[in-house]
C-alpha cells in the first residue's frame, strides 16, 4: 500500500467518460501493452505521451504491479509509527512485504473493465485480452481471499492478517470495499454483492449516514496507524464521510435496489 493506487485507477474512468469514450481515445500514441506488462515497469515522466489511452494503460498496469495506498490515507498499514507527533502521511513506508487493499482490487476490476472497452473500441485486441485476463485473475483472488462470509474484507496488513473481518476485535467491517467490490460486480452472480449490501445496512447504517467502519477502534494499533489513534466515532475511526456514502448508493443500483439507493442519499443531506 505504497503510493496512490486509487488515484491512478481513476485515469481509465476519466479516459472513457471525459468528452465521451470515442473522443477521449482519439489522440495518438504508441501502444503501451508490451512494455507495461513487464513487472516493475515505471516509465519516466518524459516518456509518457499525452494520450489519455496511454495514461489509462499506465495506471491500470502500475496499480496491478505495485502495492499501492488507497482512499483512506489514515489506514497506514506500512507506517508503524511509535513516535508521538510523527506524520503518518510521510513516515515510512516500512521495509519488507507490503499490505494489500481489497478496496483497490475492486477499483482495479471496475476501471479495468473500462480500459478493456477502450482497447476494444480502438481494435487493440491483444491489449484488451491481456487486461481482461488480469481482471479475471483479480476477481477470482477477491472471491477466494477477499470475502469474509457476509462482506468483503478491507485489506491484509503487513503481516498478512485480515483487516475488516469478523475475526477482528474492532474494525470488523468497512464501507469502502463493500461499495467498490459491488460496483465492480465481483461475485454478483454468486450472491456476494447482495450480502455485502445487506451487511452495510445491518452494521454500518445510521440515521445520519453510513459510518466508515464498525466497531470503532478503542486502542492504538501500530500496524494500522492513524485510523486507530482517533477516539471512537471520530474521523476515520467510524466517522461518516460524504465521499464514500454515494458509493453505496451506486452499489445498490448495481444489484437493482433503487429504493434502498435513494434511502442512503437523504441522510447526508442537510435539507432532510
Amino acid at each position: 500500500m505504497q503510493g496512490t493506487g486509487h488515484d491512478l485507477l481513476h485515469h481509465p474512468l476519466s479516459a472513457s467518460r471525459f468528452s465521451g469514450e470515442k473522443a477521449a481515445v482519439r489522440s495518438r500514441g504508441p501502444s503501451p501493452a508490451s512494455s507495461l506488462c513487464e513487472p516493475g515497469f515505471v516509465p519516466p515522466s518524459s516518456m509518457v505521451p499525452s494520450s489519455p489511452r496511454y495514461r489509462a494503460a499506465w495506471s491500470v498496469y502500475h496499480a496491478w504491479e505495485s502495492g499501492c495506498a488507497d482512499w483512506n490515507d489514515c489506514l497506514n498499514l506500512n507506517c508503524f509509527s511509535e513516535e508521538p507527533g510523527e506524520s503518518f502521511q510521510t513516515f515510512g513506508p516500512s521495509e519488507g512485504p507490503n499490505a494489500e487493499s481489497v478496496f483497490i482490487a475492486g477499483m482495479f476490476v471496475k476501471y479495468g473493465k473500462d480500459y478493456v472497452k477502450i482497447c476494444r473500441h480502438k481494435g487493440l485486441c491483444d491489449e484488451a485480452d491481456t487486461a481482461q485476463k488480469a481482471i479475471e485473475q483479480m476477481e477470482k483472488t477477491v472471491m477466494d481471499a477477499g470475502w469474509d462470509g457476509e462482506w468483503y474484507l478491507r485489506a491484509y496488513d503487513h503481516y498478512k492478517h485480515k483487516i475488516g473481518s469478523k475475526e477482528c476485535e474492532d474494525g470488523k467491517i468497512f464501507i469502502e470495499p463493500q461499495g467498490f467490490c459491488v460496483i465492480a460486480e465481483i461475485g454478483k452472480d454468486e450472491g456476494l454483492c447482495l450480502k455485502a449490501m445487506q451487511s452495510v445496512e445491518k452494521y454500518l447504517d445510521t440515521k445520519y449516514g453510513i459510518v466508515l467502519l464498525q466497531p470503532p477502534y478503542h486502542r492504538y494499533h501500530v500496524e494500522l496507524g492513524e485510523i486507530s489513534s482517533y477516539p471512537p466515532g471520530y474521523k476515520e475511526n467510524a466517522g461518516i464521510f460524504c465521499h464514500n456514502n454515494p458509493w453505496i448508493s451506486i452499489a445498490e443500483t448495481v444489484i437493482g435496489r433503487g429504493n434502498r439507493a435513494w434511502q442512503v442519499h437523504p441522510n447526508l443531506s442537510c435539507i432532510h
Side-chain angles (χ1 to χ4, degrees):
M1 288 183 66
Q2 303 173 18
T4 54
H6 76 296
D7 291 330
L8 291 176
L9 287 168
H10 287 300
H11 285 293
L13 173 67
S14 301
S16 64
R17 301 295 192 273
F18 183 68
S19 297
E21 181 179 291
K22 294 182 180 179
V25 300
R26 196 169 293 150
S27 57
R28 296 180 179 179
S31 173
S34 58
S35 58
L36 285 172
C37 289
E38 297 175 4
F41 174 78
V42 181
S45 58
S46 60
M47 291 179 57
V48 180
S50 60
S51 165
R53 182 178 63 80
Y54 189 97
R55 289 198 298 272
W58 186 89
S59 300
V60 168
Y61 286 103
H62 182 68
W64 177 22
E65 296 290 355
S66 62
C68 295
D70 63 27
W71 174 86
N72 192 338
D73 56 5
C74 288
L75 186 59
N76 313 117
L77 302 183
N78 292 314
C79 180
F80 295 94
S81 176
E82 296 180 341
E83 184 68 28
E86 189 169 51
S87 172
F88 290 97
Q89 314 306 324
T90 59
F91 183 76
S94 64
E95 299 296 328
N98 292 317
E100 299 187 54
S101 168
V102 177
F103 167 65
I104 282 187
M107 291 188 72
F108 179 86
V109 171
K110 168 57 182 174
Y111 294 150
K113 292 176 181 178
D114 285 335
Y115 178 64
V116 169
K117 291 179 182 178
I118 293 174
C119 292
R120 301 280 184 213
H121 171 72
K122 294 289 290 183
L124 302 170
C125 296
D126 290 344
E127 192 169 333
D129 290 344
T130 298
Q132 183 62 42
K133 183 179 179 180
I135 292 166
E136 292 172 358
Q137 178 183 345
M138 187 66 78
E139 285 186 287
K140 183 178 185 304
T141 298
V142 172
M143 292 179 66
D144 291 345
W147 178 250
D148 200 52
E150 294 182 71
W151 56 79
Y152 300 95
L153 295 172
R154 181 60 177 84
Y156 282 84
D157 69 14
H158 177 85
Y159 303 106
K160 306 306 178 187
H161 298 152
K162 295 177 182 178
I163 298 174
S165 167
K166 59 181 178 292
E167 300 172 12
C168 300
E169 176 186 7
D170 294 321
K172 294 177 181 291
I173 177 174
F174 284 69
I175 186 175
E176 304 102 306
Q178 317 317 320
F180 256 93
C181 288
V182 173
I183 291 173
E185 302 184 12
I186 299 176
K188 180 181 178 183
D189 294 341
E190 293 77 9
L192 273 60
C193 294
L194 175 59
K195 286 184 179 179
M197 290 296 95
Q198 290 172 334
S199 293
V200 168
E201 186 173 6
K202 180 178 181 180
Y203 298 111
L204 299 178
D205 203 9
T206 77
K207 65 179 181 180
Y208 302 111
I210 299 170
V211 298
L212 194 144
L213 63 91
Q214 281 286 27
Y217 294 103
H218 292 81
R219 62 182 177 85
Y220 180 61
H221 295 256
V222 68
E223 75 279 11
L224 301 180
E226 186 173 358
I227 192 171
S228 61
S229 71
Y230 296 126
Y234 179 67
K235 295 192 69 175
E236 280 81 355
N237 191 15
I240 297 171
F241 285 73
C242 294
H243 191 174
N244 52 34
N245 270 239
W247 301 344
I248 300 302
S249 290
I250 297 169
E252 291 286 8
T253 67
V254 169
I255 60 172
R257 301 207 307 177
N259 289 340
R260 169 61 185 159
W262 177 248
Q263 289 173 358
V264 172
H265 169 72
N267 291 340
L268 291 174
S269 175
C270 62
I271 63 174
H272 287 84

